[in-house]
Amino acid sequence: MLLKSVNTLAIATMLGFAFLILLFFSSFQYPSASTSIPSLNMSTFLNHHTSDPFRDLLGAFKKWDSQVGCSSFRETHKGLIKNGSSSLQDVDGDLDCGVLQMRHVEILVKGWTWIPDNLDNLYSCRCGLSCLWTKSSVLADKPDALLFETTTPPLQRRNGDPLRVYMDLEAGRKRSGVEDIFISYHAKDDVQSTYAGALFHNNRNYHVSSYKNNDTLVYWSSSRCLSQRNQLAKNLLRLLPHHSFGKCLNNVGGLDMALSLYPECANNAIEAPKWWDHLHCAMSHYKFVLAIENTMTESYVTEKLFYALDSGAIPIYFGAPNVLDFVPPHSIIDGTKFRSIEELAAYVKALANDPVAYAEYHAWRRCGVLGNYGKTRAASLDTLPCRLCEFVSRKGGRNARAL
């Protein structure tokens, strides 16, 4: 009878101990299997018994080289190199020169537009096509197409008039209703223009720091305080050490404080600083940049994400559900793939203390594995002049029949 009591007590003790172990491990948060981290075993690197905080990004790269290496990364992602994406137009393939009806096309940009002036140029395009893109009616005195963005094109087009082009890169991508050619960020429209170009890089400080803040992990800057985006940022940032530089949730003591923290990011000592002068330089000091789109809709992937990639940080992204079609493999953290904000924050903290896992997010750039990102760049605003001129040439420009 005593033996039976001892056995019962032992079994109860063992069961209680097992329950405590299960309770202990269930308190940890793990990314779901659908997160954008196909090349690493997340349960392995998130469960290191000892963390390895780091500041030196180049040192992290060296550790990754010795433990993983480009050969392994290329092998893991080899299927992405050839696979296409319905989210991106095929703009970098061969062009059937026979479809072009003109050898020279002039595009005249009308009215105010956010398109930078440095896009104005005479371009040499495929099939010997020359393309003049300009805002000057003196240079394009007989344009083949008129480009409108913030104003509506003419309601009617007669034979011999320029084709009417309308561009809307905002989330709604609303047609004017009277255009002959429509440009948007979406592959389904006549001409696609992604936000991944380099045209907005002029006159900025592109110094990239090799040292990362280890105490303050996340950079965020937003001055358009939309309630839904603000709440999402607030929910995440309360769990992570961060600097918020914009008007929304500012915690650095006011605007333009980035130059106080990072004086090396000053761009021009003579002129008053603008918020975008030091944008990339300041971002580069952080391991992560929070990027939240104004609107979360298919294929609407804006400069918020690409600025973060360019700065050498890892974007924590909330936005387009098909964002992985636009970015290099294993380059971003898609926040929508986590079961909770707490789970995402736990993952970010663990990643910040694992130099090898962190460096994996930079491997695409160091190993030359671009995936769909090559097409994203090829379909950007940088290449829009030639691609639009080719489209206008196929339609016949001024000689196209009025409908």
Side-chain angles (χ1 to χ4, degrees), residues 99-132:
V99 302
L100 300 182
Q101 300 184 39
M102 309 161 61
R103 294 302 172 193
H104 177 70
V105 172
E106 296 184 4
I107 306 291
L108 179 61
V109 180
K110 299 287 288 184
W112 182 90
T113 174
W114 63 270
I115 297 172
D117 291 341
N118 58 334
L119 198 64
D120 284 26
N121 210 336
L122 179 62
Y123 295 85
S124 177
C125 307
R126 296 181 293 182
C127 300
L129 175 68
S130 57
C131 171
L132 177 64

PDB file of all heavy atoms in Angstrom, residues 99-132:
ATOM      1  N   VAL A  99       6.752  45.779 -84.537  1.00  0.00           N
ATOM      2  CA  VAL A  99       5.496  46.362 -84.062  1.00  0.00           C
ATOM      3  C   VAL A  99       5.591  47.881 -83.933  1.00  0.00           C
ATOM      4  O   VAL A  99       4.570  48.560 -83.765  1.00  0.00           O
ATOM      5  CB  VAL A  99       5.087  45.764 -82.704  1.00  0.00           C
ATOM      6  CG1 VAL A  99       4.939  44.258 -82.814  1.00  0.00           C
ATOM      7  CG2 VAL A  99       6.083  46.124 -81.603  1.00  0.00           C
ATOM      8  N   LEU A 100       6.798  48.418 -84.008  1.00  0.00           N
ATOM      9  CA  LEU A 100       6.966  49.870 -83.874  1.00  0.00           C
ATOM     10  C   LEU A 100       6.608  50.567 -85.185  1.00  0.00           C
ATOM     11  O   LEU A 100       7.082  50.191 -86.250  1.00  0.00           O
ATOM     12  CB  LEU A 100       8.408  50.208 -83.478  1.00  0.00           C
ATOM     13  CG  LEU A 100       8.913  49.622 -82.156  1.00  0.00           C
ATOM     14  CD1 LEU A 100      10.342  50.072 -81.880  1.00  0.00           C
ATOM     15  CD2 LEU A 100       8.009  50.029 -80.998  1.00  0.00           C
ATOM     16  N   GLN A 101       5.768  51.578 -85.078  1.00  0.00           N
ATOM     17  CA  GLN A 101       5.347  52.332 -86.252  1.00  0.00           C
ATOM     18  C   GLN A 101       6.147  53.615 -86.442  1.00  0.00           C
ATOM     19  O   GLN A 101       6.046  54.260 -87.478  1.00  0.00           O
ATOM     20  CB  GLN A 101       3.860  52.684 -86.147  1.00  0.00           C
ATOM     21  CG  GLN A 101       2.940  51.487 -86.051  1.00  0.00           C
ATOM     22  CD  GLN A 101       1.481  51.886 -86.055  1.00  0.00           C
ATOM     23  OE1 GLN A 101       1.075  52.799 -86.790  1.00  0.00           O
ATOM     24  NE2 GLN A 101       0.674  51.207 -85.232  1.00  0.00           N
ATOM     25  N   MET A 102       6.941  53.989 -85.453  1.00  0.00           N
ATOM     26  CA  MET A 102       7.703  55.242 -85.502  1.00  0.00           C
ATOM     27  C   MET A 102       9.105  54.975 -84.981  1.00  0.00           C
ATOM     28  O   MET A 102       9.309  54.102 -84.142  1.00  0.00           O
ATOM     29  CB  MET A 102       7.018  56.316 -84.635  1.00  0.00           C
ATOM     30  CG  MET A 102       5.538  56.500 -84.920  1.00  0.00           C
ATOM     31  SD  MET A 102       4.705  57.325 -83.550  1.00  0.00           S
ATOM     32  CE  MET A 102       5.595  58.875 -83.526  1.00  0.00           C
ATOM     33  N   ARG A 103      10.063  55.731 -85.441  1.00  0.00           N
ATOM     34  CA  ARG A 103      11.443  55.612 -84.982  1.00  0.00           C
ATOM     35  C   ARG A 103      11.826  56.709 -84.008  1.00  0.00           C
ATOM     36  O   ARG A 103      12.889  56.656 -83.393  1.00  0.00           O
ATOM     37  CB  ARG A 103      12.407  55.622 -86.176  1.00  0.00           C
ATOM     38  CG  ARG A 103      12.262  54.416 -87.081  1.00  0.00           C
ATOM     39  CD  ARG A 103      12.481  53.130 -86.307  1.00  0.00           C
ATOM     40  NE  ARG A 103      12.167  51.935 -87.097  1.00  0.00           N
ATOM     41  CZ  ARG A 103      12.045  50.723 -86.597  1.00  0.00           C
ATOM     42  NH1 ARG A 103      12.179  50.531 -85.293  1.00  0.00           N
ATOM     43  NH2 ARG A 103      11.753  49.696 -87.376  1.00  0.00           N
ATOM     44  N   HIS A 104      10.972  57.716 -83.868  1.00  0.00           N
ATOM     45  CA  HIS A 104      11.213  58.793 -82.905  1.00  0.00           C
ATOM     46  C   HIS A 104       9.888  59.185 -82.282  1.00  0.00           C
ATOM     47  O   HIS A 104       8.889  59.377 -82.991  1.00  0.00           O
ATOM     48  CB  HIS A 104      11.864  60.007 -83.572  1.00  0.00           C
ATOM     49  CG  HIS A 104      12.060  61.158 -82.637  1.00  0.00           C
ATOM     50  ND1 HIS A 104      12.998  61.136 -81.612  1.00  0.00           N
ATOM     51  CD2 HIS A 104      11.428  62.363 -82.541  1.00  0.00           C
ATOM     52  CE1 HIS A 104      12.951  62.278 -80.946  1.00  0.00           C
ATOM     53  NE2 HIS A 104      12.008  63.038 -81.492  1.00  0.00           N
ATOM     54  N   VAL A 105       9.863  59.311 -80.962  1.00  0.00           N
ATOM     55  CA  VAL A 105       8.642  59.654 -80.229  1.00  0.00           C
ATOM     56  C   VAL A 105       8.948  60.803 -79.273  1.00  0.00           C
ATOM     57  O   VAL A 105       9.994  60.819 -78.611  1.00  0.00           O
ATOM     58  CB  VAL A 105       8.102  58.444 -79.437  1.00  0.00           C
ATOM     59  CG1 VAL A 105       6.944  58.860 -78.529  1.00  0.00           C
ATOM     60  CG2 VAL A 105       7.665  57.334 -80.380  1.00  0.00           C
ATOM     61  N   GLU A 106       8.036  61.769 -79.208  1.00  0.00           N
ATOM     62  CA  GLU A 106       8.177  62.889 -78.274  1.00  0.00           C
ATOM     63  C   GLU A 106       7.044  62.853 -77.262  1.00  0.00           C
ATOM     64  O   GLU A 106       5.868  62.804 -77.623  1.00  0.00           O
ATOM     65  CB  GLU A 106       8.160  64.222 -79.036  1.00  0.00           C
ATOM     66  CG  GLU A 106       9.331  64.398 -79.993  1.00  0.00           C
ATOM     67  CD  GLU A 106       9.345  65.762 -80.660  1.00  0.00           C
ATOM     68  OE1 GLU A 106       8.485  66.617 -80.322  1.00  0.00           O
ATOM     69  OE2 GLU A 106      10.215  65.974 -81.528  1.00  0.00           O
ATOM     70  N   ILE A 107       7.425  62.877 -75.995  1.00  0.00           N
ATOM     71  CA  ILE A 107       6.459  62.899 -74.883  1.00  0.00           C
ATOM     72  C   ILE A 107       6.558  64.265 -74.211  1.00  0.00           C
ATOM     73  O   ILE A 107       7.627  64.657 -73.736  1.00  0.00           O
ATOM     74  CB  ILE A 107       6.757  61.809 -73.844  1.00  0.00           C
ATOM     75  CG1 ILE A 107       6.831  60.429 -74.499  1.00  0.00           C
ATOM     76  CG2 ILE A 107       5.718  61.844 -72.724  1.00  0.00           C
ATOM     77  CD1 ILE A 107       5.522  59.908 -75.010  1.00  0.00           C
ATOM     78  N   LEU A 108       5.447  64.975 -74.139  1.00  0.00           N
ATOM     79  CA  LEU A 108       5.412  66.274 -73.464  1.00  0.00           C
ATOM     80  C   LEU A 108       4.624  66.129 -72.166  1.00  0.00           C
ATOM     81  O   LEU A 108       3.445  65.775 -72.174  1.00  0.00           O
ATOM     82  CB  LEU A 108       4.764  67.333 -74.356  1.00  0.00           C
ATOM     83  CG  LEU A 108       4.634  68.737 -73.756  1.00  0.00           C
ATOM     84  CD1 LEU A 108       6.014  69.309 -73.406  1.00  0.00           C
ATOM     85  CD2 LEU A 108       3.886  69.671 -74.708  1.00  0.00           C
ATOM     86  N   VAL A 109       5.299  66.378 -71.039  1.00  0.00           N
ATOM     87  CA  VAL A 109       4.672  66.274 -69.722  1.00  0.00           C
ATOM     88  C   VAL A 109       3.935  67.581 -69.434  1.00  0.00           C
ATOM     89  O   VAL A 109       4.533  68.664 -69.469  1.00  0.00           O
ATOM     90  CB  VAL A 109       5.722  66.000 -68.633  1.00  0.00           C
ATOM     91  CG1 VAL A 109       5.057  65.890 -67.265  1.00  0.00           C
ATOM     92  CG2 VAL A 109       6.498  64.725 -68.961  1.00  0.00           C
ATOM     93  N   LYS A 110       2.645  67.496 -69.144  1.00  0.00           N
ATOM     94  CA  LYS A 110       1.801  68.679 -68.975  1.00  0.00           C
ATOM     95  C   LYS A 110       1.450  68.903 -67.506  1.00  0.00           C
ATOM     96  O   LYS A 110       1.185  67.956 -66.762  1.00  0.00           O
ATOM     97  CB  LYS A 110       0.501  68.503 -69.767  1.00  0.00           C
ATOM     98  CG  LYS A 110       0.708  68.348 -71.262  1.00  0.00           C
ATOM     99  CD  LYS A 110       1.111  69.656 -71.922  1.00  0.00           C
ATOM    100  CE  LYS A 110      -0.050  70.611 -71.986  1.00  0.00           C
ATOM    101  NZ  LYS A 110       0.292  71.859 -72.711  1.00  0.00           N
ATOM    102  N   GLY A 111       1.439  70.181 -67.100  1.00  0.00           N
ATOM    103  CA  GLY A 111       0.989  70.538 -65.768  1.00  0.00           C
ATOM    104  C   GLY A 111       1.965  70.131 -64.680  1.00  0.00           C
ATOM    105  O   GLY A 111       3.058  69.612 -64.929  1.00  0.00           O
ATOM    106  N   TRP A 112       1.535  70.375 -63.428  1.00  0.00           N
ATOM    107  CA  TRP A 112       2.392  70.011 -62.296  1.00  0.00           C
ATOM    108  C   TRP A 112       2.404  68.499 -62.151  1.00  0.00           C
ATOM    109  O   TRP A 112       1.404  67.815 -62.329  1.00  0.00           O
ATOM    110  CB  TRP A 112       1.871  70.636 -61.009  1.00  0.00           C
ATOM    111  CG  TRP A 112       2.769  70.321 -59.847  1.00  0.00           C
ATOM    112  CD1 TRP A 112       3.826  71.044 -59.408  1.00  0.00           C
ATOM    113  CD2 TRP A 112       2.694  69.162 -59.002  1.00  0.00           C
ATOM    114  NE1 TRP A 112       4.419  70.413 -58.333  1.00  0.00           N
ATOM    115  CE2 TRP A 112       3.753  69.259 -58.064  1.00  0.00           C
ATOM    116  CE3 TRP A 112       1.862  68.053 -58.938  1.00  0.00           C
ATOM    117  CZ2 TRP A 112       3.976  68.305 -57.079  1.00  0.00           C
ATOM    118  CZ3 TRP A 112       2.080  67.082 -57.969  1.00  0.00           C
ATOM    119  CH2 TRP A 112       3.129  67.226 -57.050  1.00  0.00           C
ATOM    120  N   THR A 113       3.558  67.974 -61.828  1.00  0.00           N
ATOM    121  CA  THR A 113       3.691  66.542 -61.581  1.00  0.00           C
ATOM    122  C   THR A 113       4.817  66.319 -60.585  1.00  0.00           C
ATOM    123  O   THR A 113       5.749  67.117 -60.498  1.00  0.00           O
ATOM    124  CB  THR A 113       3.982  65.778 -62.886  1.00  0.00           C
ATOM    125  OG1 THR A 113       4.249  64.406 -62.572  1.00  0.00           O
ATOM    126  CG2 THR A 113       5.183  66.350 -63.600  1.00  0.00           C
ATOM    127  N   TRP A 114       4.719  65.216 -59.827  1.00  0.00           N
ATOM    128  CA  TRP A 114       5.787  64.896 -58.876  1.00  0.00           C
ATOM    129  C   TRP A 114       6.949  64.187 -59.564  1.00  0.00           C
ATOM    130  O   TRP A 114       7.967  63.909 -58.938  1.00  0.00           O
ATOM    131  CB  TRP A 114       5.258  64.060 -57.723  1.00  0.00           C
ATOM    132  CG  TRP A 114       4.724  62.718 -58.100  1.00  0.00           C
ATOM    133  CD1 TRP A 114       3.444  62.418 -58.447  1.00  0.00           C
ATOM    134  CD2 TRP A 114       5.440  61.487 -58.172  1.00  0.00           C
ATOM    135  NE1 TRP A 114       3.325  61.078 -58.744  1.00  0.00           N
ATOM    136  CE2 TRP A 114       4.537  60.478 -58.575  1.00  0.00           C
ATOM    137  CE3 TRP A 114       6.766  61.131 -57.929  1.00  0.00           C
ATOM    138  CZ2 TRP A 114       4.905  59.153 -58.753  1.00  0.00           C
ATOM    139  CZ3 TRP A 114       7.132  59.789 -58.101  1.00  0.00           C
ATOM    140  CH2 TRP A 114       6.212  58.826 -58.508  1.00  0.00           C
ATOM    141  N   ILE A 115       6.811  63.907 -60.864  1.00  0.00           N
ATOM    142  CA  ILE A 115       7.917  63.286 -61.598  1.00  0.00           C
ATOM    143  C   ILE A 115       9.110  64.228 -61.565  1.00  0.00           C
ATOM    144  O   ILE A 115       9.000  65.403 -61.936  1.00  0.00           O
ATOM    145  CB  ILE A 115       7.519  63.010 -63.056  1.00  0.00           C
ATOM    146  CG1 ILE A 115       6.363  62.021 -63.119  1.00  0.00           C
ATOM    147  CG2 ILE A 115       8.709  62.471 -63.848  1.00  0.00           C
ATOM    148  CD1 ILE A 115       5.792  61.834 -64.503  1.00  0.00           C
ATOM    149  N   PRO A 116      10.270  63.782 -61.123  1.00  0.00           N
ATOM    150  CA  PRO A 116      11.420  64.680 -60.993  1.00  0.00           C
ATOM    151  C   PRO A 116      11.894  65.222 -62.338  1.00  0.00           C
ATOM    152  O   PRO A 116      11.795  64.558 -63.374  1.00  0.00           O
ATOM    153  CB  PRO A 116      12.496  63.794 -60.349  1.00  0.00           C
ATOM    154  CG  PRO A 116      12.075  62.399 -60.649  1.00  0.00           C
ATOM    155  CD  PRO A 116      10.590  62.404 -60.702  1.00  0.00           C
ATOM    156  N   ASP A 117      12.403  66.450 -62.303  1.00  0.00           N
ATOM    157  CA  ASP A 117      12.862  67.099 -63.532  1.00  0.00           C
ATOM    158  C   ASP A 117      14.018  66.351 -64.188  1.00  0.00           C
ATOM    159  O   ASP A 117      14.210  66.444 -65.401  1.00  0.00           O
ATOM    160  CB  ASP A 117      13.304  68.538 -63.236  1.00  0.00           C
ATOM    161  CG  ASP A 117      12.121  69.429 -62.876  1.00  0.00           C
ATOM    162  OD1 ASP A 117      10.981  69.054 -63.197  1.00  0.00           O
ATOM    163  OD2 ASP A 117      12.356  70.502 -62.275  1.00  0.00           O
ATOM    164  N   ASN A 118      14.795  65.618 -63.383  1.00  0.00           N
ATOM    165  CA  ASN A 118      15.949  64.939 -63.966  1.00  0.00           C
ATOM    166  C   ASN A 118      15.566  63.749 -64.830  1.00  0.00           C
ATOM    167  O   ASN A 118      16.420  63.082 -65.404  1.00  0.00           O
ATOM    168  CB  ASN A 118      16.950  64.506 -62.887  1.00  0.00           C
ATOM    169  CG  ASN A 118      16.338  63.598 -61.840  1.00  0.00           C
ATOM    170  OD1 ASN A 118      15.144  63.632 -61.601  1.00  0.00           O
ATOM    171  ND2 ASN A 118      17.158  62.784 -61.208  1.00  0.00           N
ATOM    172  N   LEU A 119      14.264  63.482 -64.981  1.00  0.00           N
ATOM    173  CA  LEU A 119      13.826  62.477 -65.944  1.00  0.00           C
ATOM    174  C   LEU A 119      13.863  63.043 -67.366  1.00  0.00           C
ATOM    175  O   LEU A 119      13.936  62.277 -68.336  1.00  0.00           O
ATOM    176  CB  LEU A 119      12.418  61.995 -65.602  1.00  0.00           C
ATOM    177  CG  LEU A 119      11.960  60.674 -66.222  1.00  0.00           C
ATOM    178  CD1 LEU A 119      12.815  59.524 -65.711  1.00  0.00           C
ATOM    179  CD2 LEU A 119      10.497  60.404 -65.921  1.00  0.00           C
ATOM    180  N   ASP A 120      13.793  64.370 -67.487  1.00  0.00           N
ATOM    181  CA  ASP A 120      13.822  64.992 -68.810  1.00  0.00           C
ATOM    182  C   ASP A 120      15.113  64.626 -69.538  1.00  0.00           C
ATOM    183  O   ASP A 120      16.210  64.858 -69.020  1.00  0.00           O
ATOM    184  CB  ASP A 120      13.735  66.519 -68.682  1.00  0.00           C
ATOM    185  CG  ASP A 120      12.328  66.994 -68.366  1.00  0.00           C
ATOM    186  OD1 ASP A 120      11.562  66.199 -67.783  1.00  0.00           O
ATOM    187  OD2 ASP A 120      12.006  68.147 -68.689  1.00  0.00           O
ATOM    188  N   ASN A 121      14.964  64.088 -70.741  1.00  0.00           N
ATOM    189  CA  ASN A 121      16.164  63.670 -71.474  1.00  0.00           C
ATOM    190  C   ASN A 121      15.765  63.171 -72.850  1.00  0.00           C
ATOM    191  O   ASN A 121      14.579  62.967 -73.148  1.00  0.00           O
ATOM    192  CB  ASN A 121      16.888  62.555 -70.711  1.00  0.00           C
ATOM    193  CG  ASN A 121      18.386  62.575 -70.938  1.00  0.00           C
ATOM    194  OD1 ASN A 121      18.867  63.083 -71.942  1.00  0.00           O
ATOM    195  ND2 ASN A 121      19.132  62.012 -69.996  1.00  0.00           N
ATOM    196  N   LEU A 122      16.785  62.961 -73.693  1.00  0.00           N
ATOM    197  CA  LEU A 122      16.609  62.285 -74.966  1.00  0.00           C
ATOM    198  C   LEU A 122      17.197  60.891 -74.802  1.00  0.00           C
ATOM    199  O   LEU A 122      18.390  60.734 -74.544  1.00  0.00           O
ATOM    200  CB  LEU A 122      17.321  63.035 -76.092  1.00  0.00           C
ATOM    201  CG  LEU A 122      17.234  62.401 -77.482  1.00  0.00           C
ATOM    202  CD1 LEU A 122      15.787  62.325 -77.953  1.00  0.00           C
ATOM    203  CD2 LEU A 122      18.077  63.182 -78.492  1.00  0.00           C
ATOM    204  N   TYR A 123      16.349  59.873 -74.932  1.00  0.00           N
ATOM    205  CA  TYR A 123      16.733  58.504 -74.629  1.00  0.00           C
ATOM    206  C   TYR A 123      16.949  57.699 -75.915  1.00  0.00           C
ATOM    207  O   TYR A 123      16.234  57.893 -76.914  1.00  0.00           O
ATOM    208  CB  TYR A 123      15.661  57.809 -73.791  1.00  0.00           C
ATOM    209  CG  TYR A 123      15.471  58.418 -72.424  1.00  0.00           C
ATOM    210  CD1 TYR A 123      14.628  59.526 -72.241  1.00  0.00           C
ATOM    211  CD2 TYR A 123      16.124  57.906 -71.307  1.00  0.00           C
ATOM    212  CE1 TYR A 123      14.444  60.082 -70.985  1.00  0.00           C
ATOM    213  CE2 TYR A 123      15.944  58.458 -70.047  1.00  0.00           C
ATOM    214  CZ  TYR A 123      15.106  59.549 -69.895  1.00  0.00           C
ATOM    215  OH  TYR A 123      14.934  60.108 -68.656  1.00  0.00           O
ATOM    216  N   SER A 124      17.908  56.802 -75.856  1.00  0.00           N
ATOM    217  CA  SER A 124      18.120  55.839 -76.928  1.00  0.00           C
ATOM    218  C   SER A 124      17.542  54.507 -76.453  1.00  0.00           C
ATOM    219  O   SER A 124      18.063  53.889 -75.522  1.00  0.00           O
ATOM    220  CB  SER A 124      19.616  55.696 -77.234  1.00  0.00           C
ATOM    221  OG  SER A 124      19.827  54.720 -78.230  1.00  0.00           O
ATOM    222  N   CYS A 125      16.463  54.066 -77.079  1.00  0.00           N
ATOM    223  CA  CYS A 125      15.717  52.896 -76.613  1.00  0.00           C
ATOM    224  C   CYS A 125      15.974  51.698 -77.520  1.00  0.00           C
ATOM    225  O   CYS A 125      16.803  51.743 -78.426  1.00  0.00           O
ATOM    226  CB  CYS A 125      14.232  53.238 -76.558  1.00  0.00           C
ATOM    227  SG  CYS A 125      13.848  54.743 -75.606  1.00  0.00           S
ATOM    228  N   ARG A 126      15.246  50.629 -77.273  1.00  0.00           N
ATOM    229  CA  ARG A 126      15.426  49.413 -78.061  1.00  0.00           C
ATOM    230  C   ARG A 126      14.991  49.627 -79.505  1.00  0.00           C
ATOM    231  O   ARG A 126      14.208  50.533 -79.812  1.00  0.00           O
ATOM    232  CB  ARG A 126      14.621  48.266 -77.428  1.00  0.00           C
ATOM    233  CG  ARG A 126      15.092  47.868 -76.047  1.00  0.00           C
ATOM    234  CD  ARG A 126      14.283  46.725 -75.477  1.00  0.00           C
ATOM    235  NE  ARG A 126      12.909  47.085 -75.188  1.00  0.00           N
ATOM    236  CZ  ARG A 126      12.005  46.256 -74.644  1.00  0.00           C
ATOM    237  NH1 ARG A 126      12.363  45.014 -74.338  1.00  0.00           N
ATOM    238  NH2 ARG A 126      10.768  46.663 -74.413  1.00  0.00           N
ATOM    239  N   CYS A 127      15.503  48.791 -80.385  1.00  0.00           N
ATOM    240  CA  CYS A 127      15.148  48.803 -81.809  1.00  0.00           C
ATOM    241  C   CYS A 127      15.503  50.124 -82.493  1.00  0.00           C
ATOM    242  O   CYS A 127      14.888  50.499 -83.506  1.00  0.00           O
ATOM    243  CB  CYS A 127      13.663  48.512 -82.012  1.00  0.00           C
ATOM    244  SG  CYS A 127      13.148  46.891 -81.377  1.00  0.00           S
ATOM    245  N   GLY A 128      16.458  50.867 -81.942  1.00  0.00           N
ATOM    246  CA  GLY A 128      16.867  52.126 -82.550  1.00  0.00           C
ATOM    247  C   GLY A 128      15.881  53.260 -82.348  1.00  0.00           C
ATOM    248  O   GLY A 128      15.996  54.313 -82.998  1.00  0.00           O
ATOM    249  N   LEU A 129      14.912  53.067 -81.461  1.00  0.00           N
ATOM    250  CA  LEU A 129      13.919  54.109 -81.190  1.00  0.00           C
ATOM    251  C   LEU A 129      14.534  55.211 -80.341  1.00  0.00           C
ATOM    252  O   LEU A 129      15.174  54.948 -79.321  1.00  0.00           O
ATOM    253  CB  LEU A 129      12.721  53.500 -80.455  1.00  0.00           C
ATOM    254  CG  LEU A 129      11.631  54.470 -79.984  1.00  0.00           C
ATOM    255  CD1 LEU A 129      10.897  55.059 -81.170  1.00  0.00           C
ATOM    256  CD2 LEU A 129      10.658  53.754 -79.055  1.00  0.00           C
ATOM    257  N   SER A 130      14.352  56.467 -80.729  1.00  0.00           N
ATOM    258  CA  SER A 130      14.760  57.601 -79.897  1.00  0.00           C
ATOM    259  C   SER A 130      13.525  58.185 -79.231  1.00  0.00           C
ATOM    260  O   SER A 130      12.444  58.225 -79.819  1.00  0.00           O
ATOM    261  CB  SER A 130      15.475  58.669 -80.729  1.00  0.00           C
ATOM    262  OG  SER A 130      14.654  59.118 -81.797  1.00  0.00           O
ATOM    263  N   CYS A 131      13.708  58.633 -77.996  1.00  0.00           N
ATOM    264  CA  CYS A 131      12.570  59.055 -77.172  1.00  0.00           C
ATOM    265  C   CYS A 131      12.909  60.365 -76.484  1.00  0.00           C
ATOM    266  O   CYS A 131      13.836  60.422 -75.669  1.00  0.00           O
ATOM    267  CB  CYS A 131      12.253  57.973 -76.147  1.00  0.00           C
ATOM    268  SG  CYS A 131      11.040  58.444 -74.886  1.00  0.00           S
ATOM    269  N   LEU A 132      12.161  61.393 -76.786  1.00  0.00           N
ATOM    270  CA  LEU A 132      12.322  62.683 -76.110  1.00  0.00           C
ATOM    271  C   LEU A 132      11.244  62.805 -75.044  1.00  0.00           C
ATOM    272  O   LEU A 132      10.046  62.776 -75.344  1.00  0.00           O
ATOM    273  CB  LEU A 132      12.203  63.832 -77.109  1.00  0.00           C
ATOM    274  CG  LEU A 132      12.274  65.248 -76.496  1.00  0.00           C
ATOM    275  CD1 LEU A 132      13.641  65.502 -75.853  1.00  0.00           C
ATOM    276  CD2 LEU A 132      11.950  66.323 -77.526  1.00  0.00           C
TER     277      LEU A 132
END
